[in-house]
Every structure is written in C-alpha cells, then in structure tokens.
C-alpha cells in the first residue's frame, strides 16, 4: 500500500473535490464539513465519474398526525454523491449505494497531517 500526497487542506475548500491519479487509478478526494473522503472516481453502474457529481442530502418524508404525509425535508447528516451519468446515489460517508449496499464506490483511507491530505492506495 502506497501513500500519496494529494494537496494541502487549505487548497481543498469545504464542499469541493479534487481528482488525482495514483497507482493507475483516478481518485476523487472530497472535503465535506471538515472531513475528507477518497473514492475511486468510477461508478460501479457503468463506469461514470461518480466523484464529479453533485452532492445532495438524503430526502426524508415528513409524516404528521395519523400517519399523513406532510411533505419532505433534507437530512444534512446523510450527504449523497450523485453520479453525473445516470443519477445513482451513494452515501458520502461509506460509498454504498443508497438502495443497494452491494453497489459501492471503492473507498480509500485518508489521513490529514501537518496541513496535508494523504491517501493510501
Ligand atoms: S455510470 Fe454512474 S449512474 Fe450510471
């Protein structure tokens, strides 16, 4: 397993993504709410650049009295990565598809130290 320096944390604003190549793989490094994640930039559906898609929170139904549907809101603690090719959604925290845990983005360990971001491939 090799460790790769990606960039300084100050160069990756919260909410942004950086794509880099390491060990022959294209990897997306995503900074979200103070945590940095790294996934292979390869959607298990048909190979799209999943890490380059939008990030949106989980949509949650709001159920009122008597079990009546009232509306919907967002769960900001469950951010999703949306693959730009066909819209498959993956949990940012785990890389698992939101409906089928058997579909997963390949995740890599990330370490931030001394202001730098390092990914182990
Ligand atoms: S390739 Fe990602 S959703 Fe189809």
């Amino acid at each position: 397993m090799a460790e790769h320096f990606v960039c300084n944390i100050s160069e990756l604003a919260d909410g942004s993504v950086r794509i880099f190549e390491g060990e022959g793989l294209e990897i997306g490094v995503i900074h979200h709410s103070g945590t940095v994640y790294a996934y292979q930039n390869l959607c298990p559906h048909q190979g799209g650049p999943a890490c380059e898609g939008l990030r949106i929170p989980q949509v949650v139904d709001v159920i009122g009295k008597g079990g009546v549907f009232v509306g919907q809101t967002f769960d900001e603690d469950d951010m999703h990565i949306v693959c730009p090719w066909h819209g498959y959604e993956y949990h940012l925290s785990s890389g698992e598809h939101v409906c089928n845990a058997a579909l997963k983005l390949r995740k890599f360990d990330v370490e931030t130290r001394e202001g730098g971001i390092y990914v182990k491939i």
Side-chain angles (χ1 to χ4, degrees), residues 13-112:
D14 206 322
S16 63
V17 60
R18 178 171 294 221
I19 307 296
F20 81 102
E21 297 224 1
E23 307 298 319
L25 303 174
E26 189 170 271
I27 294 172
V29 178
I30 300 167
H31 186 188
H32 178 78
S33 294
T35 302
V36 180
Y37 304 89
Y39 292 103
Q40 186 174 4
N41 193 25
L42 185 72
C43 179
H45 178 222
Q46 290 184 354
C51 297
E52 298 173 49
L54 295 173
R55 266 161 276 132
I56 62 169
Q58 169 75 41
V59 176
V60 178
D61 288 343
V62 179
I63 307 299
K65 284 185 177 175
V68 176
F69 176 79
V70 175
Q72 293 183 313
T73 188
F74 293 108
D75 177 358
E76 299 286 343
D77 292 330
D78 185 6
M79 191 61 65
H80 295 175
I81 302 169
V82 184
C83 179
W85 279 11
H86 312 102
Y88 276 34
E89 294 186 29
Y90 301 91
H91 295 287
L92 176 60
S93 60
S94 66
E96 289 181 0
H97 186 272
V98 296
C99 297
N100 179 0
L103 280 179
K104 277 182 95 164
L105 299 175
R106 184 175 175 193
K107 189 173 187 177
F108 297 95
D109 290 336
V110 179
E111 187 175 336
T112 55

